[in-house]
Amino acid sequence: MSPKIQLGQVSKAYETPQGPLLAVEDVTLAVEEGEFFALLGPSGCGKSTLLRLIARLLRPTAGEITIRRSTGATRPQTALVFQEYALFPWRSVLDNIAFGLEMRRVPRGAREQVARELVRRMGLQGFEDRYPHQLSGGMRQRVGIARALAQDPEVLLMDEPFAAVDAQTRTVLQEELLRIWEEDKKTVVYVTHSIEEAIYLGDRIALMSVRPRRVKEVFEVGLPRPRKLEMRGWPHFSALALKIWASLRDEVERGMRGGESAP
Amino acid sequence: MRRRWRAPWWLSPLLVLAAWEAASVAGWLRRDYFPPPSALVGNYRALVGEEELLRHVGATLGRLGVAFVLAAVPGVLLGLGMGLVRPARLLLEPFVSGLYAIPKIALLPLIMLVMGIGEPALIVTASITAFFQITVSTMAGVLQVEPVLLEAARNYGATGHRLFFRVILPAVLPHIFTGLRLGLGLALILVIAVEITAAQTGLGFLIWHAWQVFRVEHMYCTFGVIGAIGLAITHGLEALGAVLMPWREAVWRPR
Ligand SMILES: Nc1ncnc2c1ncn2[C@@H]1O[C@H](COP(=O)(O)OP(=O)(O)OP(=O)(O)O)[C@@H](O)[C@H]1O
Ligand SMILES: [Mg+2]
């Protein structure tokens, strides 16, 4: 079967007052159906831009992106968990989660049921009627994830969802995400800064480089499913982490020397 | 956590009145120009009796209400239109920004020329300032909607009227409200101004009349009534905003 998501020589340039800025350069990738695909890279390498391209919020300047539709599916193709949360300030937690369903004219009763179930799974009980400004950063991101899961999309796109929470909460949320993912093995593209997170969650890891902004290398994780916390102590885990770090280090250093200027 | 003490809204007016009273009683202020507030309190009865204060309050509030509605409805619509439709914005923005700066009371003679002398000319003159304020605030609000919220709306399937009513309008509502609050205040100022210039009723007329018959106390009492109306408008709209937009942290209330 053909891949679920296919990117062929995709480039994206932003128009800026200083001229076009290449945020993604000539990326070719294939993500398989049911795969948990991690995108790893230093700040500014174009990860968010790539997710927005897949979500069709941006048009590629060159190249092509195809998402294979499952036959007869009426669910949305993608749901994006935004790095900036992007919750609607005027909607309560429950109404934020149900937003996508409401746009699809799912009756109130049915969408409330879905939203309440996600409130439970994301540990947001007691906060159903709060507004986003009354929540901590970690809770806001959980609402963002719940809003995406409520869509039951064919492809779940997540942009550094746990970057803003403390390490303990992150571990709990990662386990919860894996548990949810094991239920239906949805295709996931997951952006992260963290090598450990990418290995712990992902089937494959694409390492993005800063100059040029493209996929530098793709790593097979090769750990069994379901993932267990103790796998982080396995020799294979740390060996892979080291290998990725060796490749990533050049990029981080290059990024710090000013990734913005033209090559 | 201990709640921070907040000065009640009446504290600063009370302090000013007390200082004024003291200065007037001590003879530092000329009593016939600056009568002490205590002497003015009794004057309200005279104002209600001799000058039919309530009738004038009614006239001013009536003009204010009509002028405000005349400003608010087209102002919000035009502001939304200019914010949402780029060509409309590019076309109209120079006019709006240019006219925004002209003191609208200066238009009264022209408007009376066109519309004839009478109520409609007064009310239209009073409403124009508020109209521009509301238009500009609403347009600025549309332009300030966070792009990432629009992206989220799109990604989660909002299009057409649902995009407008469930995303854009609630996002702009706080700005519309600010525009309405400023607009209503401006409309009050302008109503008083046109009444001073060209009316036989209303609080503005009353001030002018008090000057003509040299009843300084009447003048101050009328100021007091106008101030009270301004205060009620501002706090009333703020309270309404808090009810309509419970998600919004109070931005305006001094903290
Ligand atoms: N709307 C935009 N207009 C112009 N330039 C942009 C825009 N969005 C992003 N960029 C630039 O494109 C490049 C890639 O940005 P992007 O947000 O995709 O990076 P990222 O990998 O997600 O970074 P981070 O890890 O910090 O979130 C950066 O240099 C950024 O400054
Ligand atoms: Mg990013």
Side-chain angles (χ1 to χ4, degrees), chain A residues 9 16 19 28-29 31 34 74-75 77 87 93 95 118 158 167 192 194 198 217 223 229 246 253:
Chain A
Q9 298 179 312
T16 70
T28 299
L29 264 187
V31 178
T74 53
R75 32 191 208 141
Q77 278 207 305
L87 302 179
V93 165
D95 288 345
L118 283 163
M158 305 180 85
T192 178
S194 153
E217 213 174 334
L223 288 169
L229 200 54
E253 283 173 355

Side-chain angles (χ1 to χ4, degrees), chain A residues 14 16 21 23 42-49 83 160 193 213 260:
Chain A
Y14 288 110
T16 70
L21 185 147
S43 195
C45 70
K47 305 182 296 294
S48 296
T49 305
Q83 186 174 5
E160 302 190 30
H193 275 132
R213 292 199 175 92
E260 297 308 317

Side-chain angles (χ1 to χ4, degrees), chain A residues 73-243:
Chain A
T74 53
R75 32 191 208 141
Q77 278 207 305
T78 66
L80 178 54
V81 179
F82 288 82
Q83 186 174 5
E84 312 85 341
Y85 316 130
L87 302 179
F88 302 113
W90 54 89
R91 286 181 162 247
S92 67
V93 165
L94 209 58
D95 288 345
N96 261 291
I97 297 174
F99 181 82
L101 299 173
E102 191 180 320
M103 293 306 115
R104 269 155 53 213
R105 300 196 224 182
V106 173
R108 177 179 289 279
R111 59 178 198 250
E112 264 222 27
Q113 200 181 339
V114 173
R116 288 200 186 278
E117 170 61 16
L118 283 163
V119 160
R120 200 186 53 73
R121 285 209 284 183
M122 286 285 119
L124 292 162
Q125 297 99 319
F127 293 91
E128 291 90 342
D129 299 324
R130 297 281 185 97
Y131 290 103
H133 81 263
Q134 301 168 312
L135 304 177
S136 70
M139 291 174 85
R140 284 180 210 183
Q141 198 51 287
R142 275 183 273 164
V143 177
I145 295 170
R147 178 174 68 176
L149 291 175
Q151 287 284 73
D152 189 24
E154 293 192 31
V155 175
L156 182 60
L157 305 170
M158 305 180 85
D159 198 348
E160 302 190 30
F162 306 140
V165 300
D166 62 86
Q168 292 81 347
T169 312
R170 185 179 312 141
T171 307
V172 172
L173 290 174
Q174 285 169 345
E175 285 190 309
E176 179 61 22
L177 177 63
L178 281 173
R179 215 183 53 69
I180 292 169
W181 180 77
E182 289 286 345
E183 286 172 11
D184 57 358
K185 296 260 165 72
K186 208 183 273 306
T187 312
V188 178
V189 181
Y190 188 101
V191 165
T192 178
H193 275 132
S194 153
I195 298 176
E196 279 71 30
E197 188 172 59
I199 299 175
Y200 182 50
L201 299 177
D203 293 314
R204 283 192 299 154
I205 301 169
L207 180 64
M208 294 183 70
S209 65
V210 176
R211 224 183 313 164
R213 292 199 175 92
R214 58 159 59 126
V215 173
K216 182 182 181 188
E217 213 174 334
V218 178
F219 300 87
E220 285 279 347
V221 174
L223 288 169
R225 299 269 182 195
R227 297 285 161 83
K228 296 270 184 309
L229 200 54
E230 60 265 23
M231 291 178 188
R232 290 177 174 233
W234 289 10
H236 176 73
F237 194 106
S238 29
L240 182 57
L242 268 176
K243 197 168 132 195

